[in-house]
Short mmCIF file of all heavy atoms in Angstrom, two decimals:
data_model
loop_
_atom_site.label_atom_id
_atom_site.label_comp_id
_atom_site.label_asym_id
_atom_site.label_seq_id
_atom_site.Cartn_x
_atom_site.Cartn_y
_atom_site.Cartn_z
N GLN B 226 -49.11 -33.13 -15.43
CA GLN B 226 -50.01 -34.28 -15.44
C GLN B 226 -51.24 -33.97 -16.29
O GLN B 226 -51.68 -34.80 -17.09
CB GLN B 226 -50.44 -34.60 -14.00
CG GLN B 226 -51.30 -35.84 -13.85
CD GLN B 226 -50.45 -37.12 -13.93
OE1 GLN B 226 -49.23 -37.05 -14.04
NE2 GLN B 226 -51.10 -38.25 -13.90
N LEU B 227 -51.77 -32.75 -16.15
CA LEU B 227 -53.01 -32.40 -16.85
C LEU B 227 -52.77 -31.85 -18.25
O LEU B 227 -53.57 -32.05 -19.15
CB LEU B 227 -53.82 -31.38 -16.04
CG LEU B 227 -54.40 -31.90 -14.71
CD1 LEU B 227 -55.14 -30.80 -13.98
CD2 LEU B 227 -55.31 -33.09 -14.95
N LEU B 228 -51.65 -31.12 -18.41
CA LEU B 228 -51.43 -30.45 -19.70
C LEU B 228 -50.49 -31.22 -20.61
O LEU B 228 -50.46 -30.98 -21.81
CB LEU B 228 -50.86 -29.04 -19.47
CG LEU B 228 -51.74 -28.04 -18.72
CD1 LEU B 228 -51.04 -26.71 -18.59
CD2 LEU B 228 -53.08 -27.86 -19.43
N GLY B 229 -49.69 -32.15 -20.03
CA GLY B 229 -48.68 -32.83 -20.84
C GLY B 229 -49.15 -34.19 -21.30
O GLY B 229 -50.32 -34.56 -21.14
N SER B 230 -48.20 -34.95 -21.87
CA SER B 230 -48.54 -36.31 -22.28
C SER B 230 -47.75 -37.28 -21.40
O SER B 230 -46.66 -36.95 -20.94
CB SER B 230 -48.16 -36.50 -23.75
OG SER B 230 -46.89 -37.09 -23.85
N PRO B 231 -48.31 -38.48 -21.16
CA PRO B 231 -47.64 -39.45 -20.29
C PRO B 231 -46.27 -39.86 -20.84
O PRO B 231 -45.38 -40.25 -20.08
CB PRO B 231 -48.59 -40.66 -20.29
CG PRO B 231 -49.86 -40.17 -20.88
CD PRO B 231 -49.57 -38.96 -21.69
N ARG B 232 -46.10 -39.75 -22.17
CA ARG B 232 -44.83 -40.13 -22.76
C ARG B 232 -43.72 -39.13 -22.42
O ARG B 232 -42.55 -39.42 -22.58
CB ARG B 232 -44.98 -40.27 -24.28
CG ARG B 232 -45.49 -41.64 -24.70
CD ARG B 232 -45.78 -41.70 -26.17
NE ARG B 232 -46.95 -40.88 -26.53
CZ ARG B 232 -46.89 -39.79 -27.29
NH1 ARG B 232 -45.75 -39.40 -27.79
NH2 ARG B 232 -47.98 -39.13 -27.55
N GLU B 233 -44.11 -37.94 -21.99
CA GLU B 233 -43.11 -36.93 -21.65
C GLU B 233 -43.23 -36.53 -20.19
O GLU B 233 -43.18 -35.35 -19.85
CB GLU B 233 -43.28 -35.70 -22.54
CG GLU B 233 -42.93 -35.95 -24.00
CD GLU B 233 -43.19 -34.74 -24.87
OE1 GLU B 233 -44.02 -33.90 -24.50
OE2 GLU B 233 -42.53 -34.65 -25.91
N SER B 234 -43.40 -37.51 -19.32
CA SER B 234 -43.64 -37.16 -17.93
C SER B 234 -42.38 -36.62 -17.27
O SER B 234 -41.25 -36.89 -17.70
CB SER B 234 -44.17 -38.35 -17.14
OG SER B 234 -43.63 -39.54 -17.63
N LEU B 235 -42.61 -35.85 -16.21
CA LEU B 235 -41.51 -35.26 -15.43
C LEU B 235 -41.31 -36.08 -14.17
O LEU B 235 -42.10 -36.96 -13.84
CB LEU B 235 -41.84 -33.81 -15.09
CG LEU B 235 -42.12 -32.91 -16.30
CD1 LEU B 235 -42.38 -31.48 -15.86
CD2 LEU B 235 -40.95 -32.97 -17.30
N ILE B 236 -40.25 -35.77 -13.45
CA ILE B 236 -39.82 -36.63 -12.34
C ILE B 236 -40.90 -36.77 -11.26
O ILE B 236 -41.11 -37.85 -10.72
CB ILE B 236 -38.49 -36.10 -11.74
CG1 ILE B 236 -37.81 -37.18 -10.88
CG2 ILE B 236 -38.68 -34.85 -10.94
CD1 ILE B 236 -36.99 -38.15 -11.69
N ALA B 237 -41.64 -35.69 -10.99
CA ALA B 237 -42.66 -35.77 -9.95
C ALA B 237 -43.75 -36.77 -10.33
O ALA B 237 -44.28 -37.50 -9.49
CB ALA B 237 -43.28 -34.38 -9.71
N GLN B 238 -44.07 -36.80 -11.64
CA GLN B 238 -45.09 -37.75 -12.10
C GLN B 238 -44.58 -39.19 -11.96
O GLN B 238 -45.33 -40.08 -11.58
CB GLN B 238 -45.44 -37.48 -13.57
CG GLN B 238 -46.15 -36.15 -13.76
CD GLN B 238 -46.13 -35.75 -15.23
OE1 GLN B 238 -45.17 -35.14 -15.68
NE2 GLN B 238 -47.18 -36.13 -15.95
N VAL B 239 -43.32 -39.41 -12.29
CA VAL B 239 -42.74 -40.75 -12.19
C VAL B 239 -42.75 -41.22 -10.74
O VAL B 239 -43.08 -42.37 -10.45
CB VAL B 239 -41.31 -40.77 -12.77
CG1 VAL B 239 -40.66 -42.12 -12.55
CG2 VAL B 239 -41.35 -40.45 -14.26
N ILE B 240 -42.43 -40.30 -9.82
CA ILE B 240 -42.48 -40.65 -8.39
C ILE B 240 -43.91 -41.00 -8.01
O ILE B 240 -44.17 -41.99 -7.31
CB ILE B 240 -41.94 -39.47 -7.52
CG1 ILE B 240 -40.45 -39.24 -7.81
CG2 ILE B 240 -42.16 -39.75 -6.04
CD1 ILE B 240 -39.88 -38.01 -7.16
N GLY B 241 -44.86 -40.19 -8.51
CA GLY B 241 -46.27 -40.45 -8.22
C GLY B 241 -46.70 -41.82 -8.69
O GLY B 241 -47.38 -42.56 -7.96
N VAL B 242 -46.28 -42.17 -9.90
CA VAL B 242 -46.64 -43.48 -10.45
C VAL B 242 -46.09 -44.60 -9.57
O VAL B 242 -46.77 -45.57 -9.27
CB VAL B 242 -46.11 -43.61 -11.90
CG1 VAL B 242 -46.20 -45.07 -12.36
CG2 VAL B 242 -46.90 -42.71 -12.82
N ARG B 243 -44.85 -44.43 -9.11
CA ARG B 243 -44.24 -45.48 -8.27
C ARG B 243 -45.00 -45.66 -6.97
O ARG B 243 -45.17 -46.79 -6.49
CB ARG B 243 -42.78 -45.14 -7.96
CG ARG B 243 -41.86 -45.37 -9.15
CD ARG B 243 -40.40 -45.45 -8.75
NE ARG B 243 -39.60 -45.56 -9.98
CZ ARG B 243 -39.24 -46.72 -10.51
NH1 ARG B 243 -39.58 -47.86 -9.93
NH2 ARG B 243 -38.54 -46.75 -11.62
N VAL B 244 -45.45 -44.55 -6.39
CA VAL B 244 -46.17 -44.65 -5.11
C VAL B 244 -47.56 -45.21 -5.32
O VAL B 244 -47.98 -46.15 -4.65
CB VAL B 244 -46.25 -43.27 -4.42
CG1 VAL B 244 -47.17 -43.34 -3.19
CG2 VAL B 244 -44.86 -42.79 -4.03
N GLU B 245 -48.29 -44.68 -6.32
CA GLU B 245 -49.71 -44.99 -6.43
C GLU B 245 -49.97 -46.32 -7.15
O GLU B 245 -50.83 -47.09 -6.74
CB GLU B 245 -50.44 -43.87 -7.16
CG GLU B 245 -50.61 -42.64 -6.30
CD GLU B 245 -51.13 -41.45 -7.10
OE1 GLU B 245 -51.49 -41.65 -8.29
OE2 GLU B 245 -51.15 -40.34 -6.55
#
Side-chain angles (χ1 to χ4, degrees):
Chain B
Q226 185 77 3
L227 292 179
L228 297 181
S230 96
R232 275 173 290 114
E233 291 177 336
S234 34
L235 302 182
I236 196 83
Q238 293 164 274
V239 174
I240 295 172
V242 167
R243 285 198 184 267
V244 172
E245 286 171 8

